[in-house]
Amino acid sequence: MTVIATLLLAFAAGLLGPVGTAWAGSVHDGASQPVYSYADAIRETVWVDTGLDGVRGGAGHDRVAADIIRPREPAAHGRRIPVIMDASPYYSCCGRGNDSQVKTYDANGNPLQFPLYYDNYFVPRGYAVVLVDLAGTNRSDGCVDVGGASDVTSAKAVVDWLNGRATGYSARTAGTPVRAGWADGSVGMIGKSWDGTVANGVAATGVAGLKTIVPISAISDWYDYYRSQGAPLYQGTPADLASYVEDPATTAKCAAEQADLAAGAPYDGDWNGFWQQRDYVADASKVKASVFVVHGMQDLNVRADEFGPWWDALAARGVPRKIWLSQTGHVDPFDYRRSAWVDTLHSWFDHYLMGVDNGIDRQPMADIERAPDQWSTDAKWPAPGTRQDLVALAPGTLGAGAGGTVGFTDDPTRDENAWAADVDRTTPDKTVFSSGVLQHDLRVSGSGSLTLTVASSTTSAHLSAVLVDVGPAVIRDYQGAGEGINTLTTQSCWGEGTPTDTGCFMDTSAATAQVGATVFSRGWIDLGHYASLDQQRPLTPGAPYRMTVQLAPTDHVVPAGHRLALIVAGTDANLIDPPDTRPTLTVDLSHSQLRLPLTAGADTVTPGQPPAPTMAPSTAPLTVLRPTQQRDALADLR
């Protein structure tokens, strides 16, 4: 035993006192303290009955594996403790975190390494950490259904077991019943990407005992992950994703589920019952847990439009909530703001799982990254004083035709970076509107929308809209290999460790890029869904169609001296798939409008400034942003 471990045990013994004295617990000075031994913690696996038969073979209910690590001392004193839970499909196939850690086991199948730092940091502070293999992955029965009943129920069943409402067993088959008598019933779910998505889904069931969730770069509506208002996003299919994470031995048994995944997600982008089952926003009214949302505003995998509707629905219900928005892509805050993140998460879990009155519920709601490693806070989000302002789209000299119309021809080889690079140059594949040079900072906080009346020359058409901050800046390199971070050669340790689970992780730094323009919000639609998302329809060439493009939520300040630009074009290469024709699109400006959530205030817009600029084309040449990297056809949700 190390000197540190010995001292910790001595400290713990002093707090616990001799047998028969009052049990002090781990909370002191307004925070849980690392007073328990990580090395001596109880490590075990329980298989929880989900009540489902995923392989549809009639052989009985599926059981999912819950690997548990919990401090030994509270159990010895008959004291119950809260749980931090991460339910994931990635514990064997792909790994978790920037270090891609997987679960490891000894020769008898007992857990050794618990991926990520949750166990190392929180177990000594009096929490149990439970890592659940989603149905069909690693050591769990069943089939992966990508956000449906199997995913959500396999995690919810563990919450129920921790609250005495489900049955757990000592083995995957047969075994003896196991109770969670050590758990106090308070559960907090956390996780990045698919893991955080499951946390959203479980919260939307309203399950009792789930006190908080921390979804990081998570999905709230699977339709919006694969489709954007009917337009197919460059993400592969749910069936592909299931095959990617499933236990190979299970895949052959899951043919029926695979068929359902293929049939339920047609390429035409129609909304149906398959997607309805995977829309957690629709059930936000059931959420009882507090929610701490974390997202990268430049995440082009799980895009920012995934947190926006979820946040708005939670706000309407008055759910206690907090939000961090970074400039990164698909990155965990542990890897871009490590110390502040761990401190904040510690306070969050202490408050909502242990009941510590540490004031985190009264702190500013929002932390926003303004530039690499530079953060600001707001009491609420969107920022106080934000209002939806109408921004006029005025015809100008660039691309404007007679009668207040503009037009462009879809070029599926071009993307938003190419458009931004040519923001002041006439090209046939786009139309640009610009505010002119701003005299004051202009803050966009929340979700905007662009309503267009458009005619297509062909029977099918996709449309893209992006907001651009035109001007020099240093940003996180969200399109680089690390999506805004560099992985260094050094390590730092968080919490306690053992030789098989050290609690040490690779350090990181901000990866930056010098740019001449920054795309900070985007949206896409399929014009064939002009009448309804339920059914794609062929367009009548030359006929006008009116649709509203929902722009992804953001919080961005366009500084004085820069310009705000709107680019409207066809296919955004590598982000959406092209239509089956190559249309020329004509926009009727007299029946089109842009709405932006603009914030008035001393730190954003000088009082007396007009609430919104008129945007018209402008003409100085500008070269910005390198071409985007090719993205894999199969999205990796890790």
Side-chain angles (χ1 to χ4, degrees):
M1 181 177 292
T2 66
V3 172
I4 293 175
T6 302
L7 290 172
L8 281 174
L9 284 175
F11 182 35
L15 289 173
L16 295 173
V19 175
T21 62
W23 188 79
S26 64
V27 176
H28 306 280
D29 299 324
S32 59
Q33 304 294 325
V35 299
Y36 303 130
S37 169
Y38 178 81
D40 292 337
I42 297 169
R43 295 162 172 82
E44 60 188 336
T45 303
V46 174
W47 279 265
V48 178
D49 188 330
T50 67
L52 301 176
D53 177 14
V55 300
R56 309 177 196 181
H61 293 168
D62 301 329
R63 296 180 185 180
V64 293
D67 290 317
I68 302 163
I69 179 169
R70 53 191 176 92
R72 187 176 299 274
E73 296 88 343
H77 287 76
R79 302 291 177 167
R80 298 187 177 190
I81 58 175
V83 171
I84 297 169
M85 175 173 149
D86 187 341
S88 176
Y90 291 123
Y91 286 131
S92 64
C93 76
C94 319
R96 305 309 300 126
N98 194 44
D99 293 41
S100 297
Q101 292 185 325
V102 297
K103 288 181 176 179
T104 62
Y105 306 89
D106 66 18
N108 297 317
N110 299 311
L112 292 176
Q113 177 171 270
F114 288 73
L116 303 173
Y117 60 94
Y118 306 139
D119 57 311
N120 308 94
Y121 188 83
F122 285 105
V123 168
R125 288 170 166 79
Y127 293 86
V129 171
V130 178
L131 304 186
V132 181
D133 297 328
L134 287 187
T137 69
N138 199 19
R139 301 199 296 173
S140 288
D141 300 332
C143 300
V144 177
D145 72 350
V146 189
S150 178
D151 268 15
V152 174
T153 302
S154 60
K156 176 180 177 293
V158 179
V159 178
D160 284 331
W161 174 71
L162 291 165
N163 281 271
R165 298 187 299 267
T167 304
Y169 294 91
S170 61
R172 186 169 183 173
T173 59
T176 57
V178 178
R179 294 180 61 253
W182 48 267
D184 70 3
S186 295
V187 181
M189 291 186 68
I190 188 171
K192 177 193 166 194
S193 200
W194 200 331
D195 306 18
T197 300
V198 172
N200 284 340
V202 175
T205 69
V207 61
L210 183 63
K211 299 300 179 63
T212 192
I213 62 170
V214 185
I216 301 166
S217 299
I219 295 167
S220 62
D221 182 345
W222 281 90
Y223 178 86
D224 288 342
Y225 180 70
Y226 284 103
R227 306 286 184 266
S228 177
Q229 297 183 254
L233 293 162
Y234 197 65
Q235 302 287 43
T237 70
D240 293 335
L241 193 55
S243 297
Y244 184 54
V245 301
E246 252 174 358
D247 179 354
T250 301
T251 300
K253 303 176 184 179
C254 293
E257 186 62 59
Q258 282 279 335
D260 285 352
L261 290 174
Y267 187 75
D268 60 19
D270 289 352
W271 168 267
N272 56 28
F274 177 90
W275 299 119
Q276 184 177 8
Q277 185 188 49
R278 291 160 174 80
D279 178 8
Y280 312 137
V281 177
D283 288 324
S285 62
K286 299 177 183 177
V287 174
K288 302 173 184 175
S290 62
V291 181
F292 187 173
V293 170
V294 181
H295 218 100
M297 291 182 286
Q298 296 289 16
D299 191 339
L300 298 180
N301 181 349
V302 180
R303 293 158 305 281
D305 55 3
E306 287 290 352
F307 81 79
W310 181 238
W311 179 266
D312 292 343
L314 297 173
R317 180 168 168 73
V319 170
R321 63 203 184 281
K322 188 173 180 65
I323 192 167
W324 273 25
L325 297 176
S326 74
Q327 285 193 349
T328 66
H330 201 59
V331 183
D332 192 293
F334 187 73
D335 296 313
Y336 59 72
R337 201 186 183 196
R338 186 167 295 183
S339 181
W341 168 246
V342 174
D343 287 347
T344 303
L345 188 64
H346 181 189
S347 295
W348 185 265
F349 280 147
D350 275 2
H351 181 72
Y352 286 104
L353 297 181
M354 286 189 174
V356 179
D357 184 10
N358 52 24
I360 194 166
D361 55 323
R362 300 184 294 276
Q363 292 177 1
M365 178 181 287
D367 279 35
I368 314 294
E369 188 175 28
R370 295 292 168 206
D373 292 327
Q374 297 179 24
W375 292 76
S376 67
T377 61
D378 283 288
K380 302 288 183 182
W381 196 85
T386 299
R387 65 177 186 268
Q388 287 288 333
D389 277 316
L390 183 63
V391 181
L393 300 178
T397 59
L398 176 61
T405 64
V406 292
F408 52 88
T409 300
D410 192 342
D411 183 350
T413 68
R414 300 260 289 171
D415 67 3
E416 59 188 42
N417 296 322
W419 303 332
D422 291 332
V423 69
D424 289 317
R425 188 169 70 88
T426 301
T427 60
D429 60 312
K430 71 180 191 315
T431 291
V432 181
F433 301 91
S434 173
S435 66
V437 176
L438 296 176
Q439 300 303 306
H440 306 277
D441 292 353
L442 188 69
R443 181 177 178 183
V444 183
S445 180
S447 303
S449 65
L450 174 64
T451 300
L452 295 173
T453 300
V454 186
S456 170
S457 66
T458 64
T459 58
S460 62
H462 295 162
L463 188 144
S464 303
V466 298
L467 294 176
V468 186
D469 176 346
V470 183
V474 175
I475 65 170
R476 281 194 183 261
D477 186 12
Y478 65 90
Q479 295 184 61
E483 299 193 53
I485 64 167
N486 295 310
T487 301
L488 307 179
T489 58
T490 58
Q491 287 188 328
S492 57
C493 304
W494 295 80
E496 304 301 318
T498 65
T500 56
D501 194 334
T502 64
C504 301
F505 305 87
M506 302 305 294
D507 293 320
T508 64
S509 65
T512 63
Q514 175 74 50
V515 299
T518 306
V519 175
F520 64 89
S521 181
R522 43 187 73 78
W524 312 277
I525 59 170
D526 167 44
L527 257 63
H529 286 86
Y530 62 89
S532 169
L533 282 181
D534 295 342
Q535 183 181 358
Q536 186 183 50
R537 295 170 169 82
L539 304 174
T540 300
Y545 297 93
R546 188 173 177 85
M547 288 191 73
T548 297
V549 186
Q550 300 299 329
L551 298 173
T554 186
D555 200 301
H556 184 87
V557 175
V558 184
H562 287 204
R563 289 180 291 141
L564 173 64
L566 166 70
I567 300 177
V568 183
T571 299
D572 193 343
N574 302 317
L575 289 177
I576 64 171
D577 290 343
D580 55 8
T581 64
R582 188 175 177 183
T584 294
L585 297 169
T586 303
V587 180
D588 178 358
L589 295 180
S590 64
H591 293 89
S592 300
Q593 60 185 25
L594 173 66
R595 290 190 178 274
L596 293 180
L598 301 180
T599 301
D603 61 338
T604 53
V605 180
T606 300
Q609 179 189 0
T614 295
M615 302 181 70
S618 58
T619 58
L622 180 67
T623 301
V624 297
L625 292 177
R626 64 187 181 283
T628 187
Q629 296 177 331
Q630 293 288 325
R631 299 183 66 83
D632 293 338
L634 174 62
D636 181 353
L637 268 174
R638 289 178 288 169

